[in-house]
Amino acid sequence: MISIPDLKNTDSPQFFLMAGPCAIEGRDMALRIAEHIVNITDRLSIPYIFKGSYRKANRTKIDSFTGIGDEKALKILQEVHQTFGIPTVTDIHESHEAALAAEYVDVLQIPAFLCRQTELLAAAARTGKAVNVKKGQFLSGGSMKFAVEKINEVNPDCQVILTDRGNSFGYGDLIVDYRNLPEMASFGVPIVMDCTHSLQQPNQTSGVTGGKPKLIETIAKAAIAVGADGLFIETHFNPAEAKSDGANMLPLDQLEGLLERLVRVREAIL
């Protein structure tokens, strides 16, 4: 169902994976994480897209880490692509960022809070890159048909991906409603479950987003069982030292075992 240049293992019946650190913190860190995940996904025949945000625009506090510099981070993402021959994905937050990011990455990601921004969706579609739209925490799965329609109106050939990340009720927590996955799948696009952001506990009194990373496997298993085409997982060698969203990231040394178990779940439902 998914068509992205340089995506490996596309003949595999397995789910595809978007994974990597929340933010690009440096060249060595990004390349090491990418290499680790490439080795795992190649062995398990999982199509893999490296994820890393070149800039974090939606932070709780004004002094939170936002990035190491746009061009520097984007060039690191490009180097990951060139080194390992895999596609990469990064978020954009304003329409003028689309063309810039498209010079370096293969998939443009629209953050959940911005999924209704028509100009942003149109700018992403015009680049010709694949576009992954996170479902707003305030929307039902059915409402995402309008995001798909906006992109298709601008570029009918655009590879659109929809990603769920839970629903918020305004009390600093998120609830995952798995009815959203088949509902969004009815629009004929690949559907992804964001297994880490759906466990965020945003807007904590400390000003730092919390999370429940112990439930990542629970969210992932349920998503595969329901029929998700792909999974989104943020991971880091040491989440406690990560400069962004460490509270809900998966420790990298736990990823291999998790993917092995998820592969078995996928095989059981096919």
Side-chain angles (χ1 to χ4, degrees):
M1 290 182 64
I2 188 168
S3 177
I4 297 175
D6 298 319
L7 186 63
K8 301 178 181 179
N9 300 309
T10 53
D11 57 347
S12 167
Q14 286 301 329
F15 54 88
F16 66 91
L17 177 69
M18 294 183 179
C22 177
I24 298 298
E25 299 174 7
R27 175 180 178 275
D28 179 65
M29 166 263 212
L31 291 171
R32 286 173 60 216
I33 291 176
E35 181 177 27
H36 187 91
I37 303 177
V38 165
N39 289 336
I40 296 170
T41 52
D42 279 353
R43 182 175 67 81
L44 297 176
S45 298
I46 294 173
Y48 173 50
I49 304 165
F50 177 83
K51 184 272 167 183
S53 297
Y54 77 95
R55 174 154 50 93
K56 302 300 296 183
N58 52 340
R59 301 294 84 192
T60 302
K61 298 170 69 176
I62 195 168
D63 59 351
S64 296
F65 174 80
T66 58
I68 60 174
D70 292 358
E71 188 174 6
K72 183 177 180 180
L74 285 167
K75 285 183 175 179
I76 290 171
L77 284 162
Q78 185 179 56
E79 186 174 357
V80 168
H81 170 92
Q82 294 170 343
T83 302
F84 302 105
I86 57 173
T88 58
V89 56
T90 198
D91 341 44
I92 58 172
H93 297 84
E94 297 184 60
S95 55
H96 67 82
E97 297 176 30
L100 171 65
E103 294 181 22
Y104 298 91
V105 302
D106 307 282
V107 183
L108 300 178
Q109 182 167 283
I110 308 300
F113 281 128
L114 301 177
C115 68
R116 285 172 49 87
Q117 298 298 100
T118 302
E119 186 176 336
L120 181 61
L121 293 168
R126 280 193 290 269
T127 66
K129 300 290 184 175
V131 181
N132 178 34
V133 188
K134 294 281 193 77
K135 182 184 74 63
Q137 301 93 324
F138 44 85
L139 291 177
S140 69
S143 298
M144 291 302 290
K145 71 177 181 179
F146 301 110
V148 176
E149 289 175 355
K150 288 176 181 179
I151 293 171
N152 286 339
E153 182 68 25
V154 174
N155 181 1
D157 297 322
C158 183
Q159 170 66 78
V160 183
I161 305 165
L162 295 180
T163 295
D164 192 11
R165 55 149 300 164
N167 285 73
S168 175
F169 294 90
Y171 295 99
D173 208 348
L174 293 162
I175 301 297
V176 176
D177 182 350
Y178 286 96
R179 295 175 298 180
N180 286 322
L181 300 184
E183 194 165 12
M184 292 192 297
S186 69
F187 308 140
V189 299
I191 302 303
V192 176
M193 184 71 229
D194 184 338
C195 305
T196 44
H197 287 101
S198 60
L199 292 166
Q200 277 186 336
Q201 294 178 305
N203 301 321
Q204 301 298 296
T205 55
S206 65
V208 178
T209 297
K212 297 180 179 179
K214 291 183 179 179
L215 292 176
I216 290 172
E217 182 162 344
T218 300
I219 297 292
K221 284 180 175 177
I224 293 299
V226 169
D229 302 297
L231 298 177
F232 181 105
I233 299 175
E234 288 190 340
T235 183
H236 193 282
F237 282 108
N238 187 352
E241 295 182 359
K243 295 182 179 180
S244 178
D245 279 2
N248 53 271
M249 276 200 275
L250 181 76
L252 191 60
D253 61 5
Q254 296 180 19
L255 182 64
E256 184 169 15
L258 172 61
L259 291 178
E260 288 175 344
R261 293 187 290 276
L262 293 173
V263 162
R264 293 198 295 271
V265 174
R266 174 77 168 187
E267 291 170 348
I269 68 169
L270 290 180

